[in-house]
Amino acid sequence: MAAAPTGAARFAGHLPRRCVRRAGRSMTSPASGVSRPATWWLRVVFALIGVSSFVLGYVGLERLSLVRPEVINDAYDIFYYDLQLFLLGAELFENPGPYPWQLQVARFVAPLCTLAAVAEAGRLLLAAEIRRQRARRAGGHAVVCGDSQYAHMLADRLHADGERVVVVRAEPFGPLEYRRRRYLGVVGDATSSEVLRGAGVPRAHTVYACTDDDDRNHAIANTANRLIQERRHPSRVYVQVHDPEMCLSLQARRLGAAGSSRIRLDYFHVNDIAARALHRHHPLPSFTGRRTRVLIAGEGSFRRALLVETARHWWSRGMDGGLRGRPLQVDLVAPDAGTELVLAATRYPFLNRVCRLSAYDRAIDELIALDQFGTGGYDRIYICASDEISGLRFALDTPALWREAQSSVFVPVYRQAALAAAFHGDFRHDLLDEVHGRLRLYPVLTHACEAQLITEDLTERLAQQIHDRYLRLQQRTGVRLGEAPAMVPWSRLPESLRRANRSHVQDIAAKLLNLGCVVAPRLGGAGDASAAGQAIDDRIDQLARLEHERWCGERLGEGWVYGERRDELRRRHPLLRPWDELPAAVQEQNREEIRVLPDVLSDSGFELIRLGPAVPAQREGPAGGA
């Protein structure tokens, strides 16, 4: 696929520039402007009715004064009686009529405006209680807990995406904040079960714990777990962790305990979400005849997540068939570049399979002096300085950097989201020049608010990896894509088959117990990997049998029965029979699903550690959701 034009096309006219600006706007402002609510228009209508009533009343009273001068003496009387029209008991109407038609209309319509004003005043006085009751009775909504900037941004993004949102925070919203955001709020300690019950957590579909304190986030998850355990379909709970290494460790511990808890729980770091969002919105270019080259410079916290997700993005594109066997060239420039690449490749072994990694141990301001620099050969450049201001200054003040990038220079920022909006805001109000689209500030927190990427949690990603490996295995045996319902990419896989892959992942905890193994962040210990691999080989038949029994139990629970031919409509499947009656090829396929477990985990940064002897497996039915 050829690269998109970056030079003359931008000067061809206003239309390409508008397109560029619109694309840039998505980098900084995930939510468009909020439309005016219906209550606003209702207030305008009643205000117009009130003004009309006052005018009609004045005209009618003026005409009445000509007929009854003894009742209305001057203009002050007219004004006084006109104001009395808005009350239910006006003195003038104690005398019998007739009255001019203007006055007749006004005396019936004006009290309606008064009643509307009283109702609005009562609504404002009771607004907090009304919101509290609405939040408590809410269902099928998302609950966002926290006073942090990220929590506010996530709630705004969810609401802009059409979700019903209840926010739990310690500091109360002001009236204007409620009116602008248009979502419900509960004030109190989010670790309290009463507060979370008041936010409707027992009926919510998702709970986000996003305070600035990790321990409070864990406490929120614990409380939510107690409230939703009894539900048939428990909520998902996502816990923000601010340290990336701790996040990976907690994911490992959750993976080993998923079978003992019914809730779907995952831990996430904003860098991982934002790095995935970057490649979803700005995929890497690819070319025929030459290798795609990427430069990552700096030692900022976003660097590791960017390196891993860049490789995953390139790998997933290769799995689709277009880029298979074509490694991505990645150059890392930082004072600790060599050490960082060794650590990253040790934790994520697939990096060396997907990329050609090169390290240059230099400071970021020495980047221009590199021999590899100056040839215009980098298709994308990322500046990940540890000091955000220094990285921005380097990107803004180095024209050679702009010339070196074939497409764009990305600068991840955390505290400079407003500056990013000045660069990539509304195309009609250009504040700063993007250097013909070459310079892109990337606000990490803004893009870490994409709920769809947060829900693509560890369970989802591992399930997708298992399916991708299944596709490759079946293709090696001669099965082509599209020949069976499962022989399609994950994005087109039926939900029932996705659910089966998720259940396979959620059953990893039981498999680990059976093997006497645990999951831990990968450190590259060959001895531990060998011991875990030997444990799998020793019990491969038993584990494969247990996996088949788990799958059968899951299918039977969904109403499937045995049939000689697979029938999706009638829910019949030829493999719903005992293990000993399965064809040898199917039994081997089940064994292969167990053998690839260490490789699936290693691609996500985990490894199996054998602690002791295996524990005999006990099955009472299909595993619960995690």
Side-chain angles (χ1 to χ4, degrees), residues 109 138 231 240 258 305 456 602:
V109 176
R231 286 185 55 187
Q240 182 185 5
E456 291 177 7
S602 71

Side-chain angles (χ1 to χ4, degrees), residues 117-393:
V118 172
E120 179 67 9
R123 188 186 68 83
L124 292 176
L125 290 174
L126 299 175
E129 180 63 21
I130 292 172
R131 292 189 187 99
R132 190 181 71 82
Q133 293 297 331
R134 288 175 59 195
R136 192 177 187 89
R137 295 193 302 268
H141 59 291
V143 178
V144 180
C145 304
D147 293 76
S148 65
Q149 178 187 3
Y150 178 74
H152 297 170
M153 295 172 67
L154 177 60
D156 286 344
R157 179 59 180 268
L158 289 168
H159 182 262
D161 289 343
E163 288 277 2
R164 190 178 188 186
V165 182
V166 176
V167 178
V168 181
R169 54 187 283 187
E171 297 182 3
F173 277 118
L176 295 180
E177 284 185 290
Y178 267 128
R179 189 173 302 155
R180 181 173 66 86
R181 287 181 166 85
R182 308 300 300 171
Y183 46 65
L184 301 176
V186 174
V187 179
D189 183 2
T191 65
S192 166
S193 59
E194 288 303 318
V195 171
L196 291 188
R197 189 176 285 109
V201 165
R203 294 175 299 280
H205 63 73
T206 310
V207 179
Y208 302 91
C210 307
T211 73
D212 285 326
D213 188 315
D214 283 356
D215 195 57
R216 289 187 64 81
N217 290 341
H218 302 323
I220 293 169
N222 293 338
T223 305
N225 180 37
R226 291 193 294 270
L227 291 177
I228 63 183
Q229 274 289 348
E230 301 304 320
R231 286 185 55 187
R232 181 179 179 184
H233 300 290
S235 310
R236 295 185 177 196
V237 179
Y238 297 106
V239 180
Q240 182 185 5
V241 180
H242 295 83
D243 180 74
E245 293 296 319
M246 177 62 74
C247 182
L248 194 67
S249 299
L250 292 175
Q251 286 179 336
R253 300 279 53 78
R254 176 59 190 167
L255 192 60
S260 62
S261 173
R262 296 182 62 242
I263 69 168
R264 178 92 169 257
L265 170 68
D266 192 40
Y267 300 89
F268 71 94
H269 191 277
V270 294
N271 285 351
D272 299 329
I273 307 298
R276 276 188 275 150
L278 192 155
H279 292 101
R280 178 164 295 190
H281 299 307
H282 306 280
L284 288 173
S286 61
F287 307 89
T288 56
R290 74 174 180 86
R291 179 178 292 122
T292 301
R293 297 184 63 201
V294 173
L295 172 65
I296 301 175
E299 49 186 333
S301 61
F302 194 62
R303 177 182 63 179
R304 175 75 66 85
L306 181 60
L307 173 62
V308 174
E309 292 303 329
T310 299
R312 282 207 181 106
H313 166 69
W314 192 257
W315 190 16
S316 65
R317 292 178 65 180
M319 303 233 347
D320 293 336
L323 303 172
R324 182 170 297 174
R326 296 175 55 186
L328 175 70
Q329 177 67 45
V330 179
D331 293 349
L332 180 62
V333 178
D336 62 339
T339 303
E340 171 63 18
L341 283 188
V342 170
L343 292 175
T346 299
R347 173 154 291 174
Y348 302 96
F350 78 95
L351 288 177
N352 283 323
R353 300 196 304 268
V354 178
C355 306
R356 285 189 58 183
L357 305 173
S358 300
Y360 301 94
D361 293 331
R362 295 197 181 191
I364 192 172
D365 54 2
E366 301 175 9
L367 178 62
I368 307 302
L370 281 177
D371 295 336
Q372 291 76 15
F373 210 81
T375 60
Y378 286 111
D379 300 296
R380 184 167 294 175
I381 297 176
Y382 301 99
I383 304 299
C384 304
S386 54
D387 179 17
E388 190 170 297
I389 299 299
S390 298
L392 272 172
R393 188 178 298 116

Side-chain angles (χ1 to χ4, degrees), residues 541-553 562-564 573-591 593:
D541 284 334
Q542 181 181 2
L543 290 171
R545 180 190 295 267
L546 291 174
E547 172 59 22
H548 176 69
E549 292 174 356
R550 183 202 64 77
W551 177 84
C552 288
Y562 171 77
E564 294 185 0
H573 204 292
L575 300 183
L576 279 172
R577 46 181 167 169
W579 170 263
D580 295 332
E581 299 179 10
L582 291 176
V586 176
Q587 291 182 346
E588 183 58 28
Q589 179 181 321
N590 278 268
R591 296 188 189 98
E593 290 177 358

